[in-house]
Amino acid sequence: MRRISAIFWIILVGCISCEQQPQTKGTDATGETRYTVTVEEEYELYKPQEETKAVLILFGGYPEVAADIKREFDILDIAEENHIAVLLSNFNRKLWLEAGEKDALAMHVQSIIKEHQLPTDRIFIGGFSSGGVVSLLLSNFVVGSELFSIDPKGVFIVDSPIDLAALYASSEKNVERKFSATAIQESTFLLKMLGDALGNPEKDIQNYEAHAVFTFRTGHTSNLQHLKNTSLRLYTEPDTLWWRENRRADHQQMNAFYIEKLAERLQEQGFHRVEYIPTKNKGYRANGDRHPHSWSIVDKKDLIRWILRE
């Protein structure tokens, strides 16, 4: 996975398609059956052969599908050892969710849970980059709803771009800075996408507040209002030196800045189950490249412990 600019770390070139396959059995190195594996066009499900203690639903970054999540976040073995089902979603390329998208995605996830007879009382949802945005917005949508029975007990994000107004402003900086052709191209794309859909935040801040997880300049967090009693984990790696050296990005162009501010804001509002988890030198891509914007900043063993104790 190639390195990407500070403002557009979420958008990569290309998307791996996932062909529909029949249900298969997974085996370990000894040849013993470990999982029931279901591969569909929209998802992959890894269900323990025996008891299922919890369900972990994962959403990848902007172009990521199940194969990418497995490569970058190798959690299947430890999840299976602890009888946790893992649902890898191919739903991606979303920096926000419209009302109809939330409803359709919630119905889809609930249908998978019911079809495969997974427990509905121990669901955990998380995602990397834009997948974390999807995780939070979807979870806020279903919690407390009489239409859905998939209330998550915990939600986590991995270095997600939670503030769309800040994303717009950072894109403007990248274009003005003219650090690289790639940065200019990506930021120009973002400015057009956000501008066409939501307008300019200097004039249309209410549109950004309505769609974003968090709007720092106004302190807006209403899109998380139903998660006050849900366990939340906010992972990020605030490596200011890496971003400055590799992208010429300042602190307020980093996801980490807004994630920390969100944690502070939620705690001020009485969200007592929020954990802000900054890491140091843990961000590496599966190919060995150093990058603080990576799945690898999550301690997988600790994540499993969190799931089992909630």
Side-chain angles (χ1 to χ4, degrees), residues 11-45:
I11 296 181
L12 307 175
V13 177
C15 181
I16 302 172
S17 63
C18 182
E19 297 181 358
Q20 186 171 348
Q21 302 177 25
Q23 190 176 74
T24 60
K25 302 294 185 181
T27 60
D28 62 14
T30 65
E32 296 178 355
T33 299
R34 300 178 61 189
Y35 307 100
T36 296
V37 184
T38 302
V39 180
E40 299 287 353
E41 183 178 358
E42 296 175 323
Y43 68 91
E44 291 185 14
L45 173 65

Side-chain angles (χ1 to χ4, degrees), residues 116-128:
H116 296 281
Q117 299 180 322
L118 297 170
T120 59
D121 59 341
R122 295 200 57 78
I123 294 175
F124 295 80
I125 303 177
F128 166 65

Side-chain angles (χ1 to χ4, degrees), residues 73-277:
F73 193 51
D74 183 17
I75 199 170
L76 292 179
D77 286 349
I78 187 173
E80 192 277 335
E81 289 170 5
N82 288 278
H83 299 275
I84 296 172
V86 180
L87 174 61
L88 306 174
S89 177
N90 290 330
F91 184 84
N92 59 18
R93 299 181 183 272
K94 295 293 180 180
L95 288 172
W96 67 88
L97 295 175
E98 299 292 350
E101 293 174 323
K102 294 176 188 176
D103 187 68
L105 182 58
M107 291 179 63
H108 176 62
V109 171
Q110 179 160 280
S111 69
I112 295 171
I113 298 296
K114 289 184 176 180
E115 177 183 352
H116 296 281
Q117 299 180 322
L118 297 170
T120 59
D121 59 341
R122 295 200 57 78
I123 294 175
F124 295 80
I125 303 177
F128 166 65
S129 195
S130 58
V133 171
V134 170
S135 299
L136 284 172
L137 295 179
L138 173 65
S139 298
N140 185 71
F141 179 72
V142 300
V143 165
S145 172
E146 296 180 356
L147 299 176
F148 303 103
S149 57
I150 52 173
D151 288 17
K153 293 187 70 67
V155 185
F156 71 93
I157 66 171
V158 185
D159 201 47
S160 297
I162 55 175
D163 188 330
L164 296 178
L167 197 59
Y168 188 100
S170 186
S171 295
E172 289 185 315
K173 284 185 178 181
N174 278 355
V175 171
E176 293 171 2
R177 184 181 294 127
K178 298 180 180 179
F179 175 63
S180 71
T182 299
I184 295 170
Q185 181 181 14
E186 292 173 341
S187 296
T188 300
F189 177 88
L190 256 185
L191 287 171
K192 178 171 175 49
M193 181 178 70
L194 290 169
D196 287 349
L198 306 178
N200 187 315
E202 294 302 322
K203 296 191 248 181
D204 304 300
I205 192 63
Q206 69 280 359
N207 291 340
Y208 285 78
E209 291 176 328
H211 291 84
V213 168
F214 176 49
T215 305
F216 171 64
R217 68 171 68 178
T218 62
H220 192 269
T221 60
S222 293
N223 291 324
L224 300 178
Q225 61 182 325
H226 297 142
L227 300 179
K228 195 167 187 176
N229 297 314
T230 302
S231 183
L232 304 176
R233 281 193 158 195
L234 313 178
Y235 292 92
T236 189
E237 185 154 297
D239 190 339
T240 55
L241 178 61
W242 190 96
W243 285 110
R244 185 166 63 250
E245 290 182 345
N246 289 273
R247 304 292 184 264
R248 289 189 184 173
D250 59 53
H251 191 203
Q252 290 198 32
Q253 284 187 274
M254 296 166 52
N255 291 338
F257 176 85
Y258 299 98
I259 291 172
E260 181 177 12
K261 295 304 179 183
L262 173 61
E264 293 171 357
R265 179 66 174 164
L266 292 179
Q267 288 163 358
E268 290 171 356
Q269 294 176 337
F271 285 65
H272 299 306
R273 303 186 69 192
V274 177
E275 294 180 76
Y276 169 65
I277 306 178

